[in-house]
C-alpha cells in the first residue's frame, strides 16, 4: 500500500516528472519536517531550517542546490528577507481600513443598510489582516525585531482567534507534519469531512464535496466559539496534552474573546441602538466571508487531487521532497491573488522559507519552478484559484465515495 501511495505522489496534474530521492540516507532535512520549537516562541529558527545547506555532503543534490539558490536571491541582491516597502504599505492599509470602518460606524451613525455595508467592510479588512499580516508575523517573517512580530501577532486576537494557540497548531500541527493523518491539524474534519485516504470514511461524506463550502463558511466561527477553548481545555493532540500553557495565555484567551465579542456584538447595540437581530445577522454574514475566504486559500494548497498523503514522517529522504509531494501552488502569475491571499498561493515557497515575508514569494517561486524542472522534481500547480478549488472538490468527492483500499487501488492503476 505504501508503494501505491508513493506512486500517486510521483504523477498527476501539474507534475513535471517522477520524484527523485537524491543522496538517500545521507541527508535528512529534519528541520523542515520535524520541527520542535520552544514553547515561549513556537516558531522554528531560521538557522534550523537552513541547517543542511552548510553540510558539504551531497552538495549537488536538489535540496541543497534549491536552498542555496533561494538564499543567493537575498545575498546577491542585498535584499532583506523581511518586510519590504510593499509589505509595510499592506500593513498600513489593512489596519487603516479596519480602524476606519469602525470609526465610520460610530461617527456617521448610519441607517441599517449602511451599517451592514460598513460592518462587512470591516470583515473584509479582518480577512485581509489574517492572511497578509497575522500569518507572516506569527512566522516571525515581518521583522528581525522580535517585538514587532509579537505586537502584530495580536491581530489574531483582535479578530477573535487566539494567536498563541494558532501558532501551536500551525507550527507543530501542520508545518512539521504536512498531510500526515492524525498529526496534521489542517486535516481535522470533525468526522464531517474526510481530507485523507488514511481516515475512515463515513456514509454522509459521500456528499462532502457538496456541503464542504458551507462548512468552510463556518470555519472562523468555529475558531472564535469552539476550537480555541477545545484546544486549551479539552485537547485531542498529544502535543497539546503534553504542553503546560502559561497562565498569561489563559488570561489573553478570555480577554481577547471578550474584547472581540464586545466590539463586534455588544457596542453596536448599546451605542448605536441597532437591533440585536440586525447585529447578529451582520456578524454571521461577516464570518461567512472570513471563514470561506480563509479556508479556501489554505485548503487548496494541500488537499487537491494531485497532492500526496504520506504514511509517516520518515517516508522521504529529505523534508524538501515531502513539501513538494504534499503541496500545490495556484495562480502564481496573478499579482492580485498574491496581494489578497498574503502570498499563500505561492505555498511551496512558504513551506520552504516560512521566515521570509510573503512579498518576496513571486521571484522565489520562479527559482523553485526552474530548479524543480532541472532536477525532474514534480512541481504541482494550478493556473487559477478557480482550478485549485475545482481540484480540491474533486479530491473531496473521491474521498467521500471510496474507502481507503479501493481508492488506493484505483490511484495505483491510474499511475
Amino acid at each position: 500500500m505504501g508503494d501505491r501511495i508513493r506512486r500517486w505522489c510521483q504523477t498527476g496534474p501539474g507534475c513535471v516528472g517522477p520524484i527523485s530521492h537524491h543522496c538517500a540516507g545521507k541527508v535528512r532535512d529534519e528541520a523542515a519536517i520535524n520541527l520542535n520549537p520552544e514553547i515561549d516562541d513556537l516558531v522554528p529558527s531560521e538557522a534550523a531550517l537552513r541547517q543542511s545547506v552548510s553540510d558539504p555532503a551531497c552538495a549537488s543534490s536538489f535540496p541543497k542546490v534549491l536552498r542555496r539558490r533561494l538564499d543567493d536571491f537575498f545575498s546577491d541582491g542585498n535584499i532583506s528577507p523581511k518586510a519590504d516597502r510593499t509589505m509595510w504599505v499592506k500593513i498600513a492599509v489593512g489596519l487603516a481600513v479596519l480602524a476606519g470602518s469602525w470609526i465610520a460606524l460610530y461617527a456617521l451613525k448610519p441607517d441599517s443598510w449602511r451599517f451592514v455595508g460598513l460592518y462587512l467592510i470591516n470583515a473584509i479588512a479582518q480577512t485581509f489582516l489574517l492572511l497578509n499580516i497575522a500569518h507572516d508575523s506569527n512566522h516571525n517573517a515581518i521583522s528581525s525585531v522580535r517585538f514587532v512580530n509579537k505586537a502584530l501577532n495580536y491581530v489574531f486576537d483582535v479578530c477573535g482567534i487566539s494567536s498563541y494557540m494558532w501558532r501551536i497548531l500551525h507550527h507543530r500541527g501542520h508545518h512539521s507534519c504536512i498531510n500526515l493523518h492524525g498529526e496534521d491539524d489542517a486535516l481535522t474534519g470533525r468526522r464531517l469531512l474526510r481530507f485523507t485516504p488514511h481516515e475512515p470514511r463515513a456514509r454522509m461524506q459521500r456528499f462532502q464535496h457538496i456541503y464542504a463550502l458551507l462548512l468552510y463558511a463556518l470555519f472562523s466561527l468555529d475558531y472564535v466559539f469552539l476550537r480555541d477553548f477545545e484546544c486549551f481545555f479539552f485537547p485531542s493532540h498529544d502535543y497539546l496534552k503534553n504542553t503546560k500553557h502559561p497562565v498569561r495565555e489563559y488570561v489573553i484567551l478570555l480577554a481577547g474573546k471578550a474584547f472581540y465579542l464586545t466590539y463586534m456584538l455588544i457596542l453596536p447595540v448599546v451605542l448605536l441602538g441597532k437591533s440585536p437581530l440586525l447585529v447578529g445577522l451582520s456578524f454571521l454574514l461577516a464570518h461567512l466571508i472570513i471563514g470561506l475566504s480563509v479556508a479556501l486559500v489554505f485548503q487548496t494548497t494541500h488537499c487537491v487531487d494531485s497532492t500526496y498523503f504520506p504514511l509517516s514522517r520518515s517516508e522521504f529522504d529529505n523534508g524538501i521532497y515531502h513539501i513538494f509531494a504534499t503541496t500545490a501552488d495556484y495562480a502564481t502569475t496573478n499579482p492580485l491573488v498574491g496581494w489578497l491571499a498574503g502570498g499563500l498561493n505561492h505555498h511551496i515557497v512558504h513551506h520552504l522559507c516560512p521566515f521570509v515575508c510573503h512579498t518576496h514569494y513571486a521571484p522565489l517561486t520562479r527559482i523553485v519552478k526552474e530548479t524543480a524542472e532541472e532536477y525532474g522534481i514534480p512541481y504541482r500547480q494550478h493556473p487559477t484559484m478557480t482550478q485549485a478549488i475545482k481540484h480540491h472538490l474533486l479530491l473531496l468527492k473521491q474521498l467521500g465515495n471510496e474507502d481507503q483500499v479501493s481508492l488506493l487501488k484505483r490511484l495505483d492503476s491510474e499511475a
Side-chain angles (χ1 to χ4, degrees):
M1 187 174 295
D3 291 338
R4 292 170 183 161
I5 304 173
R6 183 179 294 278
R7 281 197 289 274
W8 182 19
C9 86
Q10 294 170 355
T11 59
C15 297
V16 297
I19 201 162
S20 303
H21 285 213
H22 300 278
C23 303
K26 291 184 179 180
V27 180
R28 189 179 300 277
D29 189 2
E30 296 293 349
I33 197 61
N34 191 26
L35 308 178
N36 187 25
E38 296 298 327
I39 192 66
D40 61 343
D41 190 17
L42 303 173
V43 182
S45 69
E46 298 175 28
L49 287 169
R50 290 190 173 115
Q51 185 177 6
S52 66
V53 175
S54 59
D55 188 343
C58 200
S60 62
S61 71
F62 170 69
K64 291 189 176 298
V65 170
L66 176 60
R67 183 69 70 188
R68 185 168 61 249
R69 290 177 180 177
L70 293 173
D71 285 345
D72 287 347
F73 169 81
F74 295 103
S75 59
D76 293 349
N78 195 25
I79 300 170
S80 168
K82 304 306 181 183
D84 55 11
R85 181 178 300 177
T86 300
M87 183 61 180
W88 290 115
V89 169
K90 295 184 78 171
I91 292 173
V93 169
L95 293 176
V97 174
L98 182 75
S101 60
W102 282 110
I103 292 172
L105 272 176
Y106 295 101
L108 301 178
K109 297 183 179 179
D111 58 24
S112 295
W113 286 108
R114 290 186 176 87
F115 170 83
V116 173
L118 286 170
Y119 203 100
L120 295 184
I121 290 174
N122 182 268
I124 294 171
Q126 288 187 39
T127 305
F128 182 84
L129 290 170
L130 289 171
L131 293 173
N132 287 270
I133 299 175
H135 182 262
D136 271 28
S137 68
N138 278 273
H139 275 289
N140 290 338
I142 293 180
S143 174
S144 55
V145 179
R146 180 186 176 98
F147 170 76
V148 174
N149 292 304
K150 197 168 184 64
L152 291 172
N153 287 351
Y154 291 109
V155 166
F156 267 115
D157 300 271
V158 170
C159 295
I161 299 172
S162 168
S163 57
Y164 167 81
M165 186 54 65
W166 186 89
R167 284 195 302 281
I168 296 179
L169 295 176
H170 192 63
H171 294 294
R172 292 188 176 183
H174 176 58
H175 272 257
S176 66
C177 52
I178 307 168
N179 279 9
L180 285 174
H181 173 56
E183 296 190 60
D184 187 347
D185 184 72
L187 299 180
T188 301
R190 294 182 178 277
R191 300 289 298 167
L192 297 173
L193 295 167
R194 184 189 187 210
F195 291 124
T196 165
H198 307 304
E199 182 179 358
R201 182 172 63 93
R203 285 185 61 81
M204 69 173 296
Q205 291 167 346
R206 290 177 297 169
F207 309 104
Q208 66 175 7
H209 59 291
I210 299 173
Y211 62 72
L213 296 183
L214 174 61
L215 294 183
Y216 289 166
L218 303 176
F219 173 79
S220 55
L221 282 173
D222 181 40
Y223 261 91
V224 171
F225 290 106
L226 295 175
R227 192 72 192 283
D228 283 339
F229 294 106
E230 287 177 350
C231 291
F232 267 97
F233 301 105
F234 309 101
S236 57
H237 296 296
D238 288 339
Y239 56 82
L240 290 177
K241 294 177 182 177
N242 298 327
T243 298
K244 184 178 181 181
H245 308 298
V247 174
R248 70 176 182 275
E249 296 301 338
Y250 288 95
V251 174
I252 294 173
L253 169 73
L254 299 176
K257 299 290 185 184
F259 173 74
Y260 180 72
L261 295 177
T262 297
Y263 83 77
M264 289 291 286
L265 292 173
I266 297 175
L267 291 184
V269 175
V270 174
L271 298 183
L272 295 177
K274 301 300 181 184
S275 73
L277 178 60
L278 175 66
V279 175
L281 289 176
S282 299
F283 181 79
L284 176 61
L285 185 56
H287 273 281
L288 296 183
I289 294 172
I290 297 170
L292 184 61
S293 301
V294 173
L296 286 178
V297 165
F298 280 98
Q299 291 290 17
T300 49
T301 59
H302 296 294
C303 291
V304 292
D305 59 357
S306 62
T307 50
Y308 176 51
F309 298 85
L311 289 168
S312 71
R313 292 171 180 255
S314 60
E315 189 164 334
F316 292 90
D317 300 319
N318 189 291
I320 287 181
Y321 294 124
H322 185 120
I323 292 171
F324 271 80
T326 57
T327 311
D329 288 346
Y330 59 87
T332 57
T333 59
N334 187 327
L336 180 61
V337 173
W339 174 275
L340 296 175
L344 292 170
N345 53 320
H346 299 268
H347 214 70
I348 293 175
V349 162
H350 169 61
H351 276 276
L352 292 171
C353 308
F355 48 84
V356 170
C357 182
H358 75 263
T359 50
H360 300 296
Y361 285 176
L364 296 179
T365 293
R366 289 193 287 271
I367 294 173
V368 166
K369 288 182 180 179
E370 292 168 1
T371 308
E373 184 173 3
E374 178 183 336
Y375 279 83
I377 304 300
Y379 169 77
R380 291 161 173 78
Q381 65 173 326
H382 296 102
T384 65
M385 187 174 186
T386 302
Q387 283 292 312
I389 294 172
K390 172 186 174 182
H391 286 277
H392 170 62
L393 295 177
L394 284 174
L395 174 68
L396 292 186
K397 185 176 182 180
Q398 293 172 1
L399 292 173
N401 286 277
E402 298 182 59
D403 59 28
Q404 181 185 36
V405 175
S406 62
L407 179 59
L408 293 176
K409 283 182 177 179
R410 184 175 63 78
L411 293 170
D412 181 50
S413 64
E414 291 176 358

